Structures are given as C-alpha cells and as structure tokens.
Amino acid sequence: MKRIIVMLLAAALCTSCTALPAEERAFAVALGVSRDDGLWRVYARIPTYQTGGGYTTISAEGKELTSAMTSLDAAAPMHLHLDQLRLLIFAEGVARTIDFPSAIAELAARHDIRHQTAVAVTDADMQQLMDDMKPATGTRLSKSIDVLLETRVSQGTAPASTLAEVIRMGERQDAVLMRLQHAHGEWKVSGGCPVGQDGIVREVLSAAEMQLLTLMTGGMKNVTLTLEEGTVRVMDVSADTELSTPTMQSAAVHITLRYTSSSLTDEALSRAVASACLGVLNRLSAANCDALGLGRQAIMHMKDMAEWHELDWQHRYPEIEWSVSVGVQPAA
C-alpha cells in the first residue's frame, strides 16, 4: 500500500504542471525576443480559439527576460504554454550581444518549452513579423511552419538548428541558426547565422553559402547546387572533416559528390565546389564558428578537461588552415 501511495504522489507531482485541460491553455506557435532601450520585449503568436480559426499576437516587456516572460503569461487570455512552439526567433539586436547565450539558456531551462523548436535570428521588426505569421498552406500555423522548415532544411538553404541541438553542442561545436527575413508582409527562412565561440552572432551566410555548408556535412541529397561557374544536380554526398594531430594547426574536408547532371566538366566541377567550400570555411573562421565540430575531434586527444582548457580552443580555431578536396562521380 505504501508503494502505491508513493507512486500516486509521484504521478501527481509529475502532472502538476499540465493539470489544466487543453482548452484552458494558450499554446504559442512562435515566440519572438527583442530588446530596445534597455527593455526586453517578448512576443507570442497564439491561436484565437474562435470559430473559423485565426491567430493573434500578444506581447509584454520587462527589465529582465524573466520578468518579460512573466508579463507575457499575464497578457495571454489563458495560461501560456510553450510546449507546442515551432519557432523561437531572436532579434539581431539580441543575437549580436553578450546577453544572447544567457537568453537562450534561460528559455531552454523552462519546464514547458518544446526543445525541438527551431531557433532563428531576424533583422525584421518583431511586432510586424509576428503579426504577419499566417499559415501559408492549410489552417494550422504550426503545420505550415513545420512544412516550410523541413523544405528549406532538405534543400540545404537553412540549417536544422533546434533549441536542443544548440544547448547540446556546448563548447565542442558551434551552431548555425536559421536566418528569418521579412518584407512586404511576407516572411521566409533563407540562409544561416553562425554563432561564434563567445555565443554571439556576427556573420550571415546566404542561402547558397548555407548549401555549401550542408554539403560539407554530407547532408545533401537530390538538390540542385548553384555555383558561380554553373549548376549541378546533386544525387548524394559523403563528406568527412579531419583535424591534423597532434599539431592541430590544419584541417581538411574530403567530399565525394555524385551527380545526375552538371553544366561543368568533372574537373571544373571539382575545382568549383572546392573553391566555394573553402570560401565558406574562411567565413566561418572569421566568425570563430566551429560549425563542423573540430572541437569534438580535438578534445578526444586531450588527457582531461584541464588540458582542453589549456588548449584555448576559442583562440586556436580561427588560426586553423583549411583545405578542401572534392571527388565527383556521375550517377550510373
């Protein structure tokens, strides 16, 4: 009997945070975070729960992000929940400051947030952006966002950057976040925003550069790749990155690319892809963004964490000399 009582108490404690029925909670689909004039401003896009559907934007502000989020909950018509969140959007004014890492960590620590939500950075006006977030297809904004993000990730023009991945990377790899743009009442996801080892976003990668980064991770399949010299229809890619040891002064990316059609000869295609990839790697080095995870390889050669910290990877990484080799194979 005592065991049953203990189990029931444990179950009650585990479900206390979700005791409200679904119709008495407001599920945010997108959450925007900005800061102006010393105040944190947060925005949530939530369903109206009215006949015919629709969405509305609620907002709040505070001197601290915590107080702004508390005020946002108070501004909602029902208790606000983030466990259905699809997009976590940070304004560039936040992402380019030293407060960005702590803001991500604070939101990730919330018990109700969906950790598979995509993380994006935008230079758009957050209020206007949120107001213009409507389903591009169907009636559900959450499904519309899912389809859009899956499409861009599969095309290689946007990174698959979720909150869980950003937190899990730690100091051994750096994230590239989605770039969200807004103009003329429409929003789109295109390109990436590399996060430096100090946790701050500085550079912006175009959609074409993002494709090349995807190529170097081996994550490209059945995609048309556009280069300055021409185009190629990529069938599939295998790639690996190798850090020189024990010097750790250089790194090489080896790519094997299979294609179905190309406007270039094999030799010209190999040179063009290698040159374009090297350009992206140099931009990542300038941003001090270890997007390919060389730090994971480096730490494996350390005796302990003390030796890892002595390596001073944050200053070592930008000095690494890159090389890229590309083998191309026409599909049979």
Side-chain angles (χ1 to χ4, degrees):
M1 177 62 72
K2 288 183 179 180
R3 179 177 297 179
I4 294 175
I5 292 174
V6 170
M7 291 175 65
L8 289 174
L9 286 173
L13 288 172
C14 290
T15 58
S16 62
C17 61
T18 58
L20 289 174
E23 63 271 16
E24 294 182 17
R25 288 177 285 177
F27 293 99
V29 180
L31 180 70
V33 181
S34 66
R35 189 174 59 180
D36 301 290
D37 302 323
L39 289 176
W40 288 88
R41 291 185 169 86
V42 288
Y43 307 80
R45 192 70 169 158
I46 63 172
T48 60
Y49 299 105
Q50 295 176 342
T51 303
Y55 293 83
T56 188
T57 303
I58 58 173
S59 62
E61 61 183 36
K63 291 184 177 180
E64 304 293 338
L65 180 57
T66 302
S67 60
M69 289 299 296
T70 300
S71 298
L72 185 67
D73 190 16
M78 298 170 281
H79 186 51
L80 184 67
H81 263 254
L82 304 179
D83 54 9
Q84 297 298 317
L85 197 66
R86 288 328 197 254
L87 260 178
L88 173 57
I89 310 164
F90 289 93
E92 277 193 356
V94 173
R96 295 181 182 275
T97 70
I98 58 174
D99 295 321
F100 186 43
S102 58
I104 287 183
E106 181 176 327
L107 290 171
R110 289 179 60 102
H111 72 276
D112 65 332
I113 198 165
R114 179 175 177 266
H115 281 85
Q116 292 307 310
T117 187
V119 185
V121 176
T122 186
D123 61 356
D125 179 273
M126 194 66 74
Q127 180 70 60
Q128 293 181 7
L129 169 63
M130 299 295 282
D131 288 343
D132 285 335
M133 295 193 89
K134 302 177 179 67
T137 57
T139 58
R140 290 171 49 212
L141 181 57
S142 57
K143 180 62 176 179
S144 182
I145 291 175
D146 284 344
V147 171
L148 173 64
L149 300 188
E150 288 171 5
T151 301
R152 297 297 174 259
V153 170
S154 67
Q155 292 171 340
T157 57
S161 53
T162 65
L163 183 59
E165 290 173 342
V166 172
I167 296 300
R168 186 170 58 245
M169 285 179 180
E171 60 183 25
R172 303 172 191 180
Q173 187 172 356
D174 299 310
V176 177
L177 307 180
M178 291 182 174
R179 183 181 177 220
L180 198 154
Q181 298 170 283
H182 177 254
H184 309 297
E186 297 184 355
W187 63 280
K188 65 177 182 178
V189 174
S190 178
C193 297
V195 179
Q197 292 192 56
D198 56 3
I200 299 174
V201 169
R202 290 190 176 89
E203 298 287 329
V204 172
L205 299 181
S206 67
E209 290 172 321
M210 197 59 238
Q211 274 196 316
L212 292 165
L213 178 55
T214 304
L215 182 77
M216 287 186 280
T217 65
M220 184 169 286
K221 191 173 184 179
N222 296 324
V223 171
T224 298
L225 180 65
T226 302
L227 305 164
E228 289 185 4
E229 297 84 351
T231 60
V232 55
R233 180 67 183 180
V234 177
M235 183 177 181
D236 58 59
V237 173
S238 62
D240 66 85
T241 303
E242 183 181 5
L243 175 66
S244 65
T245 55
T247 62
M248 300 187 189
Q249 294 178 345
S250 63
V253 178
H254 307 286
I255 300 170
T256 300
L257 182 153
R258 296 181 66 216
Y259 68 92
T260 55
S261 62
S262 173
S263 62
L264 303 171
T265 65
D266 285 358
E267 184 178 350
L269 177 59
S270 178
R271 286 199 308 266
V273 172
S275 176
C277 286
L278 190 58
V280 172
L281 290 171
N282 288 334
R283 293 205 64 197
L284 290 171
S285 291
N288 203 357
C289 175
D290 183 9
L292 294 183
L294 286 185
R296 293 183 181 278
Q297 296 185 37
I299 202 169
M300 292 175 61
H301 297 277
M302 303 292 104
K303 292 183 298 185
D304 49 37
M305 290 304 295
E307 187 177 5
W308 163 252
H309 291 138
E310 287 178 6
L311 180 63
D312 195 8
W313 187 245
Q314 183 169 339
H315 292 91
R316 173 69 66 90
Y317 171 77
E319 298 175 354
I320 288 176
E321 183 177 346
W322 287 95
S323 63
V324 181
S325 62
V326 180
V328 299
Q329 301 173 354

